[in-house]
Amino acid sequence: MIDLWFVIIAFLWTGYFVLEGFDFGVGMLAPFVSRGAGEQRQALQTIGPVWDGNEVWLITAVGSMFAAFPAWYAGMFSSFYLPVALVLVGLIVRGVGLEWRGKVTNTFWCDAGIVAGSALPAFLWGAIFADMLFASGLAALLGGVFSLAVSVLHGAVFLALRTEGPLRRRARTAALAASALAVPVGVLALLRLGGGVVGTAAALAAATALAGAAALIWRRREGWAFAATAGAIVLASVAVFLELAPMPLPGLTLAEAASGPYTLTMLSWIGLITLPFVLLYQGWTYWVFRKRVLVPA
């Protein structure tokens, strides 16, 4: 049960990083790749129906940690209290900006809030997990830059996949520019992991996927490029959680961090009943809003 719930929590965090990754990227890029209010609305409409649903993955991941591994939850969120608080501030500011943007005449502060509220969590999550792994300020900085750069690349590819017209061309250009930073930083960050043969293989595959995404976006294969950036995030997350598996915090093993067998059994039944419905609903949402977004009239 302990190993099962560690895998479930890794899955939930990975889903959050993949889905919120392109949300963050679009939020950071929208004012810079758009020309005029119409194109900026077009950019933000690509994430409009899904961004708040994507945040549910964070709530579920943190809630599962609290229930299944309370000692890990307590240690992680007390050790990183300030950066986690800043993540929450960023998410709140971004949410307010996205909700209020269509209700005000001057959108400057909403746009600034969306950019800052997207960039702050994108950087800090990478810094938090890198510091949790290596307890090093330099590693935390590298992890933050990596997650920020990959989010920008992921978001640019998503914009190119979901839009038409001039915005699509600019998003493709932004993706190529972002890959020039994401690929070398990704190689440095991912090769730092290497937790055994499987972890090293996952890190190498993630770096390869980032390079492949750049080549695919150059060839205007946005769908495959998005699959490559999503795959890179999944593989990077696998490498991270393989490093965390024996000891999620210094001096704390998984067995010591876990709840009792009865609690884990009850959680398993609850997850077995509810998780498939959540996945089906979110999959249906993406299917409904799968078409490219045109410039609003």
Side-chain angles (χ1 to χ4, degrees), residues 54-69:
N54 292 342
E55 288 187 353
V56 173
W57 286 76
L58 174 62
I59 298 169
T60 309
V62 172
S64 298
M65 286 180 66
F66 173 76
F69 296 98

Side-chain angles (χ1 to χ4, degrees), residues 148-233:
L148 184 68
V150 171
S151 293
V152 172
L153 173 59
H154 197 37
V157 173
F158 184 75
L159 272 178
L161 177 65
R162 291 293 316 282
T163 57
E164 287 283 7
L167 180 58
R168 181 184 178 188
R169 293 192 293 272
R170 291 191 212 102
R172 192 183 298 120
T173 302
L176 291 171
S179 67
L181 175 63
V183 172
V185 171
V187 171
L188 289 174
L190 292 166
L191 293 184
R192 179 68 177 86
L193 294 174
V197 175
V198 178
T200 302
L204 287 170
T208 303
L210 285 176
L216 288 163
I217 199 68
W218 176 265
R219 298 181 60 188
R220 304 186 179 187
R221 304 294 297 273
E222 292 97 345
W224 286 107
F226 184 74
T229 54
I233 295 171

Side-chain angles (χ1 to χ4, degrees), residues 10 14 193 198-199 202-203 232-244:
T14 301
L193 294 174
V198 178
I233 295 171
V234 170
L235 290 164
S237 183
V238 167
V240 167
F241 280 96
L242 283 173
E243 282 277 332
L244 290 173

Side-chain angles (χ1 to χ4, degrees), residues 55-296:
E55 288 187 353
V56 173
W57 286 76
L58 174 62
I59 298 169
T60 309
V62 172
S64 298
M65 286 180 66
F66 173 76
F69 296 98
W72 182 17
Y73 166 89
M76 176 179 172
F77 289 99
S78 60
S79 299
F80 299 100
Y81 182 85
L82 180 58
V84 170
L86 290 174
V87 166
L88 294 178
V89 169
L91 294 176
I92 292 168
V93 169
R94 183 185 69 142
V96 170
L98 287 167
E99 292 291 346
W100 277 90
R101 194 178 186 282
K103 301 176 176 65
V104 297
T105 304
N106 184 354
T107 62
F108 174 80
W109 290 110
C110 290
D111 294 337
I114 293 168
V115 173
S118 299
L120 198 60
F123 175 83
L124 287 172
W125 281 128
I128 288 169
F129 275 88
D131 192 78
M132 191 160 51
L133 285 172
F134 304 113
S136 162
L138 183 59
L141 178 62
L142 181 61
V145 172
F146 168 65
S147 62
L148 184 68
V150 171
S151 293
V152 172
L153 173 59
H154 197 37
V157 173
F158 184 75
L159 272 178
L161 177 65
R162 291 293 316 282
T163 57
E164 287 283 7
L167 180 58
R168 181 184 178 188
R169 293 192 293 272
R170 291 191 212 102
R172 192 183 298 120
T173 302
L176 291 171
S179 67
L181 175 63
V183 172
V185 171
V187 171
L188 289 174
L190 292 166
L191 293 184
R192 179 68 177 86
L193 294 174
V197 175
V198 178
T200 302
L204 287 170
T208 303
L210 285 176
L216 288 163
I217 199 68
W218 176 265
R219 298 181 60 188
R220 304 186 179 187
R221 304 294 297 273
E222 292 97 345
W224 286 107
F226 184 74
T229 54
I233 295 171
V234 170
L235 290 164
S237 183
V238 167
V240 167
F241 280 96
L242 283 173
E243 282 277 332
L244 290 173
M247 194 173 288
L249 290 174
L252 182 71
T253 66
L254 274 181
E256 293 168 340
S259 296
Y262 178 77
T263 301
L264 295 178
T265 301
M266 292 301 298
L267 286 174
S268 298
W269 281 110
I270 294 170
L272 182 66
I273 295 169
T274 59
L275 190 58
F277 289 100
V278 173
L279 295 176
L280 285 171
Y281 173 76
Q282 190 151 33
W284 175 80
T285 302
Y286 278 95
W287 175 257
V288 169
F289 296 103
R290 68 188 182 279
K291 294 183 180 179
R292 291 184 183 271
V293 179
L294 304 178
V295 179

